[in-house]
Amino acid sequence: MNPEHDAPAGHDEARRTFLKQSSLLTALAFVPAPVVDAAAANLDEKVAGAIEKVPLKLEVNGKKYKLAVEPRTTLLDLLREELNLTGTKKGCDYGQCGACTVHVDGQRVNSCLSFAVMHDGRKVTTIEGLADGDKLHPMQEAFVKHDGFQCGYCTPGQIMSAVACVREGHAGSDAEIREYMSGNICRCGAYSNIVAAIQEVKNGGQKV
């Protein structure tokens, strides 16, 4: 006896319909709510379109921008992906390595932990904005002089934090510099050279 031949008429079609519905329900269980809402409203936009964008005004390295961003966009991703300022590095993405350090209104910020919309109307400085044309910033020159880097991946964040360290008045001793630079990790271990570079800039009285 062949079970397939003995199956009731329409059995195969009903089985296919059941499998399709089951697969759809399983897929929907893993789809983010905004996407489900968009589908329910018969929208054809992409996934990102289901999330409302908000206006944002920023001044980055002296240039003013009018943008529209998703609320969940980090400052780091905005700088790298939207403004093509890739000097700011994505390291741990948890605010632990300091590779993403930038200045917001003169204060150092871990841009991977900061939403872009939090900085509406503020001034952002990245590593690209430190130099004056072809003239390096004093801290950049000191890092080169003292070989304050090896692979260089952490260097942009190290330099941004180093500038802030001097500006904040926390470069009074090697121990103090190490304490206030402790949020920046150098996997190559160039710490002593970094401290020497910061000390030179601080003791030289150069404007940072």
Side-chain angles (χ1 to χ4, degrees), residues 84-95:
N84 200 33
L85 296 170
T86 56
T88 304
K89 302 304 181 186
K90 179 175 284 194
C92 66
D93 228 14
Y94 288 96

Side-chain angles (χ1 to χ4, degrees), residues 154-173:
C154 75
T155 305
Q158 294 279 2
I159 290 175
M160 298 304 290
S161 278
V163 171
C165 186
V166 175
R167 287 178 179 172
E168 294 163 3
H170 297 310
S173 66

Side-chain angles (χ1 to χ4, degrees), residues 22 32 38 43 50 94 99 108 117 124 128 143 146 162-163 166-167 171 174 186 189 194 203:
S22 298
L43 300 179
Y94 288 96
R108 50 178 153 175
V117 294
V124 178
E128 291 92 342
F143 265 66
H146 291 276
V163 171
V166 175
R167 287 178 179 172
D174 285 4
C186 174
I194 291 171
N203 294 333

Side-chain angles (χ1 to χ4, degrees), residues 97-186:
C97 73
C100 69
T101 304
V102 300
H103 296 168
V104 178
D105 288 345
Q107 303 296 314
R108 50 178 153 175
V109 169
N110 286 330
S111 59
C112 74
L113 294 183
S114 185
F115 291 117
V117 294
M118 296 167 58
H119 305 295
D120 186 39
R122 304 178 75 178
K123 296 180 180 180
V124 178
T125 304
T126 70
I127 189 68
E128 291 92 342
L130 279 189
D132 182 10
D134 293 333
K135 181 175 174 55
L136 294 178
H137 184 279
M139 191 65 72
Q140 292 173 310
E141 291 182 335
F143 265 66
V144 173
K145 177 180 177 180
H146 291 276
D147 197 20
F149 50 87
Q150 290 185 38
C151 78
Y153 193 86
C154 75
T155 305
Q158 294 279 2
I159 290 175
M160 298 304 290
S161 278
V163 171
C165 186
V166 175
R167 287 178 179 172
E168 294 163 3
H170 297 310
S173 66
D174 285 4
E176 187 176 28
I177 291 172
R178 290 179 184 277
E179 173 67 23
Y180 283 90
M181 289 292 293
S182 61
N184 291 78
I185 296 175
C186 174

